[in-house]
Amino acid sequence: MPSMTTTTQAPKELGEIRPRVMGFEFDDSIPRHWVAGAAVPTAMGNALHLIFPMGERFFVRAVKHYADHIDDPQLRAQIKGFYAQEGRHAHEHEKVFAWMERQGLDIRRFLAIYKKIAYAGIERISPHKLRLAATAALEHYTAIMAENALKHGLLERVHPAMREMLVWHACEEIEHKAVAYDVLQQVDSSYPLRVAGMVVATGTLIGFWFLGAAMLLRQEKGLTLRETLRQLRAAMQVNPLGRQVFARGLREYLRRDFHPWQTDNLALARSHLERLERTAA
Ligand SMILES: [Fe+2]
Ligand SMILES: [Fe+2]
């Protein structure tokens, strides 16, 4: 099957993809339970903080492997912006690691397991094309989570210091959401490869997210199973979109004619970015 030139599907207003250096600070005024004042949703948020940096560096390596195969100058420029944005995201999330450790949370054990399975294991044994396909699929999930967060006010119950950082990350995820997908289409547009990438993406995201949250929750003294389940139910009621991320992700991504920009949410991202840059100035 011939490779497709897909960059034209991005909205014209996208322009250059560039990182914004925000310099967030995570000090001890942030409460231990920074999501809705509750342990369970906070553990899910903290687990995402832990998963992102290594994941984002994996994405960059997966795309970098094929960067020289891309002739389209527009996509080549977008790839550079993608590296820069993901690098900044990883850096900012790692700043939260220090805050978590000051809260007395052991994060190193999870990070060691995650690194061993995902990077010393899966990354080493899987073919380059599958890594790229998994990256494109994971970017679809992050774009859905980003849209949910921005469009439906899901971050309203989050402490402002964490909220600003997550809003910034969400906006930039929307901006670069099609880059890995477009690279995949140029490298190999086969549908089975795309599906295989989605299988790896879904399994690893659910697995590591759950494991991270569970390992953090075990450290919450006095938290009973009954209370954990109660908080989980409450979180799902407040945030029904959260549990639909995977269903929506699969439904959209498995359409044969799928492209990330079929959902044009750039204006949503740009409006939040403008506000963030205004307040940071
Ligand atoms: Fe990111
Ligand atoms: Fe991303």
Side-chain angles (χ1 to χ4, degrees):
M1 200 185 282
S3 66
M4 296 182 288
T5 301
T6 48
T7 52
T8 50
Q9 295 196 34
K12 284 188 188 65
E13 303 76 38
L14 179 63
E16 182 195 1
I17 294 177
R18 63 180 179 89
R20 288 131 186 113
V21 181
M22 302 301 288
F24 295 108
E25 280 176 28
F26 306 100
D27 62 30
D28 296 338
S29 66
I30 300 171
R32 181 179 176 89
H33 296 153
W34 53 270
V35 185
V40 173
T42 299
M44 294 182 72
N46 281 338
L48 280 180
H49 281 307
L50 293 179
I51 290 169
F52 274 127
M54 273 194 264
E56 289 169 316
R57 292 189 180 112
F58 167 91
F59 297 171
V60 168
R61 287 194 296 277
V63 170
K64 229 173 209 168
H65 183 80
Y66 290 104
D68 289 343
H69 300 224
I70 305 299
D71 297 324
D72 177 350
Q74 190 186 355
L75 183 53
R76 287 180 74 97
Q78 289 181 353
I79 289 170
K80 288 210 178 86
F82 166 75
Y83 296 160
Q85 288 190 337
E86 294 293 39
R88 294 303 314 174
H89 300 167
H91 177 77
E92 294 294 328
H93 282 284
E94 278 177 346
K95 289 203 299 204
V96 184
F97 289 10
W99 175 85
M100 288 168 74
E101 289 189 308
R102 287 201 304 279
Q103 294 293 319
L105 291 168
D106 173 14
I107 58 171
R108 299 291 148 190
R109 237 180 108 224
F110 169 73
L111 290 172
I113 295 170
Y114 177 39
K115 189 174 180 184
K116 199 167 176 185
I117 300 175
Y119 306 109
I122 298 171
E123 186 175 7
R124 278 182 62 182
I125 60 166
S126 58
H128 283 291
K129 277 187 183 174
L130 185 59
R131 297 180 211 172
L132 179 62
T135 299
L138 283 162
E139 287 283 89
H140 183 50
Y141 281 132
T142 51
I144 291 175
M145 290 195 274
E147 184 188 273
N148 284 347
L150 300 179
K151 197 170 172 181
H152 303 286
L154 297 190
L155 298 175
E156 270 163 21
R157 300 178 326 138
V158 167
H159 185 273
M162 292 288 191
R163 182 169 60 220
E164 293 300 89
M165 185 259 218
L166 294 171
V167 166
W168 160 78
H169 191 168
C171 292
E172 292 196 345
E173 285 304 317
I174 287 175
E175 286 189 309
H176 73 230
K177 65 179 179 171
V179 175
Y181 187 86
D182 286 341
V183 172
L184 177 67
Q185 292 305 298
Q186 301 246 339
V187 168
D188 186 339
S189 61
S190 99
Y191 184 72
L193 175 63
R194 174 155 41 114
V195 174
M198 191 44 147
V199 171
V200 173
T202 307
T204 51
L205 181 57
I206 292 176
F208 289 119
W209 198 356
F210 178 81
L211 179 68
M215 287 181 77
L216 292 168
L217 279 174
R218 275 175 62 96
Q219 301 176 54
E220 291 295 320
K221 289 191 185 77
L223 183 72
T224 60
L225 179 62
R226 195 190 167 107
E227 174 60 12
T228 302
L229 294 173
R230 191 196 66 75
Q231 287 189 20
L232 203 56
R233 268 196 306 274
M236 281 183 173
Q237 266 165 12
V238 174
N239 175 12
L241 290 167
R243 62 170 190 259
Q244 291 164 19
V245 165
F246 292 98
R248 177 180 161 190
L250 286 163
R251 193 176 61 241
E252 292 179 348
Y253 202 76
L254 296 180
R255 281 200 310 258
R256 287 220 172 232
D257 66 345
F258 169 81
H259 186 274
W261 283 117
Q262 283 163 349
T263 303
D264 183 356
N265 42 17
L266 183 64
L268 175 73
R270 287 280 160 86
S271 68
H272 283 276
L273 280 169
E274 271 166 31
R275 183 188 58 76
L276 278 179
E277 288 189 298
R278 250 196 334 268
T279 46

